[in-house]
């Protein structure tokens, strides 16, 4: 049973960076879902390239907004005990 469970985790661990549950991960998941839908509807190579470009732009927006806020909050909470000394 544990071996089967371990094999289920392998693809998740190899899928790439793991993002904290929150606005950042939701934003990135939405960008990936939009890419999947766009690629399903793409007809030409140019369409597929456009889908990829849009996904990259959306991921950058996520990184610059929700992900940045989460990173800043983590750093602030990590630094808070140091400042209390």
């Amino acid at each position: 049973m544990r071996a089967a469970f371990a094999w289920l985790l392998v693809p998740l661990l190899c899928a790439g960076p793991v993002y904290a549950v929150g606005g950042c991960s939701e934003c990135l998941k939405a960008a990936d879902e939009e890419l999947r839908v766009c690629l399903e509807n793409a007809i030409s190579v140019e369409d597929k390239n456009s889908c990829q470009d849009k996904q990259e732009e959306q991921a950058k927006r996520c990184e610059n907004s929700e992900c940045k806020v989460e990173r800043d909050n983590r750093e602030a909470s990590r630094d808070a005990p140091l400042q209390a000394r």
Side-chain angles (χ1 to χ4, degrees), residues 45-82:
V45 173
E46 291 87 13
D47 292 342
K48 292 178 182 181
N49 290 338
S50 176
C51 291
Q52 186 66 35
D53 291 343
K54 289 178 187 176
Q55 190 273 342
E56 289 172 3
E57 290 172 12
Q58 179 63 29
K60 283 181 185 177
R61 281 193 295 274
C62 293
E63 288 292 331
N64 292 331
S65 60
E66 286 90 352
C67 297
K68 183 180 182 325
V69 169
E70 288 182 17
R71 274 192 310 272
D72 291 347
N73 289 340
R74 276 195 309 269
E75 289 174 10
S77 66
R78 185 176 36 208
D79 292 342
L82 297 176

